[in-house]
Amino acid sequence: MGGAFLAAALLARLGSRIELPTIPLFILAGILLGPHTPGIVLVSDPHDLEMLSALGLVLLLFYLGLEFHLDDLKAGGRKMALAGGAYLTLNVGAGLGFGFALGWGTSEALVLAGVLGISSSAIVTKVLVDLGRIGNPETKPILGIIVVEDIFLALYLAALQPILSGADSLRAALLDGGKAFGFLLLLALAARFGTKVVGRLIDTKDDELLVISFLGAAVFVAGVSEWFGVADAIGAFMVGLMLGSTSSGGRIRKLVHPLRDAFGAIFFFAFGLSINPGDLPTVLWPVLAAVAVTLVMNVLAGLVAARINGFGAGPAANISTTLLARGEFALILATMAAGAALDARLAPFIAGYVLVLAVLGPLAAGRSHWLARVLPGGRAPGAAGGSDGVVAIREKEPVS
């Protein structure tokens, strides 16, 4: 584990000299030092880091919840739902069509719909933090789309599980979906009406006790969420949403930073450990085709989300590129597909597709002003609102 931290740090330091984002470098460290690559093997079994990796995802989404205020959710709920619905319609629909076009089977097409349709919450969060865009106006619809995706994810997994397992019970599928939706509703009500009570319970002047309290709450609710069929990440997000609105919110944001960064690095390193580069050549062309489809759909979805929120070309480019990466959810689907004995090409395809977009996504987000130039209105001089102009975006994109 010490070697994993040091390898990730070394590659990230080297990458910072040529202005590369940290995410693909952490993933590369996992690939180079994992069991599938010749040379030094730090971790022979990726499952050895499974719990630490899960903690990294929980802390990334917990931090995202801290930054996403309830007032923003209430004020922009309708626009967020519209933008999220449009994003899912375009990307999941394109993924389903792509899956049928490959001809690997109906179950495989349903899996690919989720793989191509859902962004990586962890990578999106890290990109927003690394590029200093948490305070940008277009970040609110980005976070709204992630929330809608996570709600869809819970229902999608509940519906997909009986199909992959061969169960034909509609009642079982509806029961799992109802359980997941009910728990999501409970979390939403707690975030809406329980903030004052939670604030009193967690309030303390002792930083040590505060860290233990918020960490315990985030991890516990994440675990309970998973038991109810809801992604653990959305449970952590909702806890962050509640605690961010309390009197301790500012201190929690400061105290969680080192935890988020350290375990977030382990999450991406463990992601790299699971990728076998030797499997990728067999699915190279389908992977490249899927990446092209995702690029087109994300640009369209970014334009739609920007139009809904009254933004120009700059924010549209930020939305399109920030949401481009795919990650943890696709790997969950790959595991489910392997357990269901689906087409053997599915696992290496998902690994290659996720790897390409996990690297391409952060790189594209850091250079979104290039895309803004070719979008409608991108060349208009002196665009109103500052963040609509290409020059303004350039100024808002420091690379960590």
Side-chain angles (χ1 to χ4, degrees):
M1 184 177 151
F5 275 119
L6 290 173
L10 177 62
L11 276 177
R13 283 173 176 268
L14 293 174
S16 67
R17 295 179 180 274
I18 53 175
E19 297 188 346
L20 283 177
T22 57
I23 295 169
L25 296 170
F26 292 153
I27 295 171
L28 179 62
I31 294 173
L32 294 177
L33 299 172
H36 306 298
T37 306
I40 299 172
V41 177
L42 281 182
V43 184
S44 58
D45 185 358
H47 293 292
D48 290 344
L49 293 181
E50 191 170 10
M51 182 60 72
L52 293 174
S53 173
L55 185 58
L57 178 61
V58 164
L59 288 170
L60 282 166
L61 270 293
F62 173 72
Y63 177 79
L64 193 63
L66 289 172
E67 295 289 348
F68 193 79
H69 299 291
L70 279 170
D71 291 340
D72 297 334
L73 189 61
K74 288 184 286 186
R78 181 174 174 273
K79 290 181 179 179
M80 290 176 189
L82 287 173
Y87 188 89
L88 287 172
T89 300
L90 288 168
N91 284 274
V92 174
L96 185 63
F98 179 82
F100 280 120
L102 282 179
W104 291 355
T106 301
S107 295
E108 287 80 358
L110 291 172
V111 170
L112 288 172
V115 171
L116 271 67
I118 306 293
S119 306
S120 167
S121 300
I123 295 179
V124 169
T125 305
K126 192 71 166 59
V127 167
L128 290 172
V129 172
D130 283 356
L131 297 181
R133 292 182 182 171
I134 290 292
N136 282 21
E138 70 273 9
T139 296
K140 292 179 183 178
I142 289 173
L143 301 186
I145 289 171
I146 288 178
V147 172
V148 172
E149 282 186 327
D150 281 332
I151 294 171
F152 171 80
L153 181 151
L155 301 176
Y156 180 79
L157 284 179
L160 190 63
Q161 184 61 51
I163 296 173
L164 295 184
S165 63
D168 55 1
S169 171
L170 179 61
R171 180 177 176 275
L174 291 174
L175 184 63
D176 288 344
K179 185 172 71 171
F181 184 77
F183 185 70
L184 282 171
L185 183 61
L186 181 63
L187 287 177
L189 290 173
R192 175 67 179 86
F193 299 107
T195 302
K196 290 183 179 179
V197 175
V198 171
R200 285 197 294 268
L201 288 173
I202 204 168
D203 186 40
T204 175
K205 294 181 179 179
D206 190 317
D207 284 350
E208 179 185 9
L209 293 178
L210 185 59
V211 169
I212 295 170
S213 298
F214 75 68
L215 186 60
V219 175
F220 179 76
V221 174
V224 174
S225 299
E226 196 171 60
W227 188 78
F228 275 97
V230 177
D232 50 5
I234 192 63
F237 176 87
M238 296 302 289
V239 174
L241 195 66
M242 282 185 270
L243 297 185
S245 301
T246 66
S247 58
S248 304
R251 289 172 59 209
I252 293 173
R253 289 186 194 94
K254 182 179 178 181
L255 291 169
V256 79
H257 275 192
L259 292 170
R260 178 205 69 195
D261 292 341
F263 289 99
I266 289 295
F267 171 82
F268 295 112
F269 180 87
F271 176 34
L273 291 175
S274 66
I275 294 173
N276 184 353
D279 291 338
L280 303 183
T282 60
V283 290
L284 178 61
W285 294 112
V287 165
L288 294 179
V291 168
V293 169
T294 303
L295 286 169
V296 173
M297 290 300 108
N298 268 259
V299 171
L300 291 176
L303 288 169
V304 171
R307 182 69 177 269
I308 290 171
N309 288 274
F311 296 147
N318 282 352
I319 294 169
S320 300
T321 54
T322 303
L323 292 168
L324 184 60
R326 303 295 187 260
E328 61 279 0
F329 177 56
L331 298 180
I332 291 170
L333 284 174
T335 304
M336 291 174 62
L342 299 185
D343 194 298
R345 293 169 290 185
L346 203 54
F349 169 85
I350 293 174
Y353 171 77
V354 169
L355 176 61
V356 171
L357 287 182
V359 173
L360 182 61
L363 290 173
R367 294 155 179 79
S368 59
H369 53 275
W370 294 354
L371 174 61
R373 291 173 183 169
V374 299
L375 293 180
R379 293 182 180 274
S387 63
D388 287 357
V390 173
V391 174
I393 295 174
R394 225 187 266 269
E395 295 171 352
K396 287 185 177 181
E397 291 184 353
V399 178
S400 67

